[in-house]
Amino acid sequence: MSNTPVNDNFALLPDSYLFSAVGAEVARFRDSYPDARVISLGIGDVTRPIVPAVTQAMRRAVDDMASAETFRGYGPEQGYMFLRQAIADGDYAGRGIEIGADEIFISDGAKSDLGNISDIFSRDCRVAVTDPVYPVYVDSNVMAGRAGQLTSQGWNRITYLPCTEATDFIPRLPETPVDLIYLCYPNNPTGTVLSAARLKEFVDYAREHKCIILYDSAYEAFISTPGVPRSIYEIEGAREVAIEFRSFSKTAGFTGLRCGYTVVPRGLTGKCADGSMLSLRDIWLRRQTTKFNGASYIIQRGAEAVYTPEGRSQIQAVIADYMRGARLLKAACVQAGLKTFGGTDAPYLWVKCPQGYDSQAFFRLLLERLCIVSTPGSGFGPAGEGYVRLTAFNTEAATAEAARRIAAIGVL
Ligand SMILES: *Cc1c(COP(=O)(O)O)cnc(C)c1O
């Protein structure tokens, strides 16, 4: 026992009540019906194995570690130049976007960076998030003491930008002043995207109000609709206001390998209490060199292979496979008379609950009648109520079977 004072903000965080309740309900159902063939379209984890180009590169890297001439100890905290250059060329220069390797920071995943970025901003920053939202953005700000108190309308110091059918799933610009705006496109959980014109409104807003956009594009590789921005830096002026977060998790199945990166453009600044300006790139570098010792050499070699011609075509085939599943699920929902959003440029479908059902009741119906696990939308924020999320990340066979069950349910 100790009397050591703790970060009180942790006491503010509620248990992830809904998600644990949902997990318990699925476990109970499996216990009661051990023969039921339950298909999980709930969690956002991939199922396809790592592609050969990547595993071969990692094997070679393992051999590097076994030989005195090629052994590597601590690497650069910011990531190896071979990977940063591959990213700068492959994800940016190749698409006409000017991002230098010195503006790219490799990490063990986007979730770490999205949580850690909080370190470089003042506790007094006012934060805006879309609603529904990837919970990391909110909870990391609660931990930092920026969220205020939890009320029935959410945290009272956080500005919520509702994304519902009524807004076409497009967040409105904040009506009260904010310092940080989190955007995630293609969106988790709704699977919807923002057009370049809509994204430009946010970039213009941030330039005018001198605030920062934290842009999570973990799902950019799933975009197939021409013109949908893959990077916020496709938008003019975004280099002045945006930090971008990316991940190999969904793009290349790295959820268990762990690799992601964050782009902090040179010239992006924030203000100190005394009015002086600091380069966000420089203080993020300082934060990373102090608290992080770099991602694994072997994993970075694997990530580098994603940018080879073989790597690219292999991961594109996997993504095409997931998106075929998404189309099957979407068609099945339409056949069942369910209104469905997303699923075109993202592996998520956002399904509107039929009349008379809230998120949890519809989750239960899908579980009990179809043995399908979904995620109740209400777990992602107040505006998620009335929807469930289905993922297309299960195996091809399981997704196809789930689609058959949904289609056969009859018009709800
Ligand atoms: C999966 C996901 C990530 C990626 O997280 P990693 O830590 O890189 O695995 C980031 N943002 C969103 C919204 C996600 O769904």
Side-chain angles (χ1 to χ4, degrees), residues 167 238 264 408:
T167 73
V264 190

Side-chain angles (χ1 to χ4, degrees), residues 44 108-112 114 134 137 184 186-188 216-219 245-250 254-255 258-260 348 389:
D108 62 351
K111 189 176 180 174
S112 315
L114 284 158
Y134 182 56
Y137 314 152
C184 173
N187 189 257
N188 178 11
D216 182 349
S217 59
Y219 295 94
F245 301 85
R246 289 221 182 157
S247 172
F248 294 94
S249 284
K250 318 301 162 35
F254 275 48
T255 53
R258 313 302 308 141
C259 197
Y348 296 118
R389 188 191 71 176

Side-chain angles (χ1 to χ4, degrees), residues 103-158:
E103 299 172 312
I104 296 168
F105 295 77
I106 310 297
S107 72
D108 62 351
K111 189 176 180 174
S112 315
D113 289 350
L114 284 158
N116 293 335
I117 199 76
S118 168
D119 275 8
I120 69 167
F121 296 107
S122 161
R123 182 182 171 276
D124 299 328
C125 278
R126 296 155 300 184
V127 173
V129 298
T130 60
D131 175 17
V133 66
Y134 182 56
V136 178
Y137 314 152
V138 173
D139 290 359
S140 57
N141 280 292
V142 174
M143 292 173 187
R146 288 191 198 101
Q149 299 296 320
L150 188 57
T151 73
S152 59
Q153 277 105 65
W155 298 91
N156 64 4
R157 282 202 77 232
I158 288 189

Side-chain angles (χ1 to χ4, degrees), residues 6-27:
V6 297
N7 178 348
D8 283 334
N9 298 316
F10 281 82
L12 296 172
L13 282 167
D15 291 335
S16 172
Y17 158 76
L18 182 96
F19 292 136
S20 46
V22 158
E25 201 159 324
V26 174

